[in-house]
Amino acid sequence: MLAGRKVLVGVTGSIAAYRAAEVVRGLVREGAETRVVMTAAARRFVSHVTFATLSGHPVATRLFDGGPVHIELARFAEAAVVVPATANILGKVAHGIADDLLSTVLLACTAPVLFCPAMNASMYRHPAVQASIGRLKEMGYHFAEPGTGALACGEEGPGRLAEPEAILEHVGRLLAPKDLAGLTVLVTAGPTREPLDPVRFISNRSSGKMGYAVAAAAAARGARVILVSGPTQLAPPAGVETVWVETAREMLARVREFYPAADVVVKAAAVADYRPAGVSEHKIKKEGETLHLVLEKNPDILATLGREKGRRILVGFAAETEELVPRARRKLEEKNLDLLVANDVTLPGAGFGTDTNVVQLVYRDGRVVPLPLMTKRALAHRILDEVLRLRAAPGP
Ligand code: CTP
């Protein structure tokens, strides 16, 4: 949702200013046209050269630099993000004070604005700061809530800047069209775990990132999203109903429960194709030189759904290391899918654990569309664009 969009970043004077560089970098990586405004205090923490280099544009710092810079920048912004946001900028905007470039731009700006507070915990808890935040929220400003923990000042408490990834996600939500409103999207993600004994299991390298990105993107675009997730290290995306499962059979049961309500199913989970034929009640002891495991086949969840497809749009994923397209075509047909997202996991930037992916979209009508390397977030939106197109297309 960020590609080609115009985002204004305001940087104010907190030690967290250096983390704003990660946000700007992320925005640019997602294809957003990014302009940065820095306050005088911010420039004491990080050089404007850093932001000029990352954004590819000069950094605006002064109100009276030639023409009406503040109006130009306010008009430029489709969304603005103040990262980090100090007590000072929150207080100023809450009370309509415009005494430097950033505060003036923010008053002139009619686009959605996201504040990402970062400050000392006592400052953050101060009633005046809390009152500013309350006032700004009433006015419709958005907030990336700060985390709690050890702060740079040595204190513990709330005031730590939200994670750059969460900030990028939030900016994406502000810009997303609500074109999936009214639809229910069922997403599966992550690996499954198939137990061998009380302490061991068989699993795979899936991180869950692709499925979580689809869930987050669908929620940002207004869908009701149910995410059925295997065990992952990821935080569930905002605004998504997350259901945790471990085994393929549990995943099948939960997916079937939500399937009747679903208009769209995106099956990004890396489901274990086989499970140990029996789960040992006690820990398996090392005895012989070899250990033979007997595995039995798991149900194919997607194929099961494909048999009761109705008018739903079904999207599958396939990770291959060879013969990508012929195999993808076969799977699409066998599982009765509308779209198969095929990735060659041997390519650099593709596959497990990465934030990017390189895929080919394989359609029912035989079309194959190779996509360039892109972030999983951008790919998630692209997949949802295709889902909308497929829904709009006349059925066979
Ligand atoms: N899938 C599923 N249930 C399974 C296995 C896979 O729903 N038991 C889904 C996955 O979520 C994914 C697609 O099917 O969307 C992957 O297809 P699959 O044929 O299982 O491919 P791979 O396991 O990647 O490869 P292969 O079976 O060819 O080794």
Side-chain angles (χ1 to χ4, degrees):
M1 266 317 104
L2 290 166
R5 308 303 293 272
K6 298 184 164 92
V7 181
L8 181 81
V9 178
V11 185
T12 69
S14 145
I15 177 66
Y18 76 95
R19 301 214 75 191
E22 288 175 58
V23 173
V24 171
R25 193 161 184 275
L27 288 168
V28 171
R29 195 183 56 208
E30 299 275 337
E33 202 183 318
T34 310
R35 296 281 198 288
V36 179
V37 176
M38 294 179 82
T39 63
R43 292 182 64 187
R44 303 186 74 121
F45 286 94
V46 187
S47 164
H48 64 284
V49 179
T50 303
F51 289 102
T53 309
L54 292 173
S55 69
H57 293 280
V59 170
T61 54
R62 278 200 302 267
L63 193 47
F64 302 107
D65 259 349
V69 193
H70 61 293
I71 303 295
E72 233 169 78
L73 287 167
R75 285 193 186 143
F76 160 83
E78 290 179 74
V81 50
V82 182
V83 54
T86 55
N88 189 44
I89 192 72
L90 297 174
K92 285 204 285 192
V93 180
H95 294 91
I97 296 169
D99 65 350
D100 66 358
L101 179 60
L102 181 60
S103 51
T104 311
V105 170
L106 290 173
L107 291 196
C109 184
T110 54
V113 177
L114 174 68
F115 285 107
C116 312
M119 66 196 78
N120 160 278
S122 304
M123 284 178 84
Y124 184 71
R125 290 196 194 101
H126 194 285
V129 173
Q130 287 302 314
S132 297
I133 292 174
R135 224 177 130 95
L136 289 166
K137 284 184 177 169
E138 269 171 34
M139 291 183 211
Y141 285 96
H142 303 268
F143 278 81
E145 303 296 340
T148 298
L151 304 175
C153 56
E155 282 182 29
E156 286 264 337
R160 191 162 66 185
L161 184 71
E163 285 303 313
E165 233 344 91
I167 294 171
L168 289 172
E169 198 67 62
H170 207 133
V171 177
R173 280 207 294 284
L174 298 183
L175 287 168
K178 302 297 173 222
D179 52 3
L180 294 174
L183 295 182
T184 297
V185 179
L186 174 59
V187 182
T188 68
T192 63
R193 273 184 191 170
E194 310 297 332
L196 271 164
D197 68 14
V199 297
R200 302 185 179 94
F201 54 79
I202 295 179
S203 192
N204 60 64
R205 292 181 190 278
S206 169
S207 65
K209 284 181 179 173
M210 191 61 239
Y212 278 56
V214 172
R221 291 167 72 160
R224 173 190 176 207
V225 182
I226 300 144
L227 171 65
V228 178
S229 174
T232 71
Q233 302 291 320
L234 307 173
V240 166
E241 298 164 47
T242 308
V243 177
W244 299 100
V245 296
E246 289 241 342
T247 65
R249 288 191 291 181
E250 276 168 33
M251 184 173 275
L252 173 65
R254 300 314 301 271
V255 163
R256 288 192 78 110
E257 191 180 314
F258 293 105
Y259 193 51
D263 302 291
V264 177
V265 179
V266 181
K267 236 184 147 299
V271 184
D273 290 325
Y274 293 89
R275 64 174 179 273
V279 182
S280 164
E281 192 188 336
H282 298 288
K283 193 177 162 206
I284 300 169
K285 289 291 175 197
K286 55 173 176 307
E287 276 159 359
E289 281 309 306
T290 53
L291 173 68
H292 293 278
L293 293 176
V294 178
L295 304 179
E296 61 191 12
K297 209 165 197 177
N298 266 328
D300 190 315
I301 302 171
L302 200 46
T304 312
L305 303 183
R307 288 194 281 275
E308 308 157 23
K309 183 169 157 354
R311 296 203 56 239
R312 295 176 190 85
I313 300 290
L314 296 191
V315 181
F317 279 74
E320 303 289 355
T321 54
E322 55 186 348
E323 289 184 42
L324 186 68
V325 172
R327 289 189 176 178
R329 283 207 170 111
R330 207 176 319 133
K331 283 179 190 173
L332 182 128
E333 203 153 302
E334 278 167 12
K335 301 187 192 216
N336 195 19
L337 310 179
D338 298 281
L339 176 65
L340 194 121
V341 183
N343 66 336
D344 179 344
V345 286
T346 62
L347 292 179
F352 298 123
T354 58
D355 289 321
T356 55
N357 216 341
V358 191
V359 305
Q360 308 207 34
L361 301 181
V362 180
Y363 296 81
R364 236 178 151 77
D365 61 10
R367 268 180 310 140
V368 178
V369 179
L371 299 181
L373 174 83
M374 56 173 82
T375 63
K376 287 184 173 169
R377 189 182 299 118
L379 176 59
H381 280 289
R382 179 64 199 266
I383 291 167
L384 294 171
D385 292 344
E386 295 307 312
V387 163
L388 281 175
R389 253 175 237 137
L390 288 165
R391 271 181 62 84

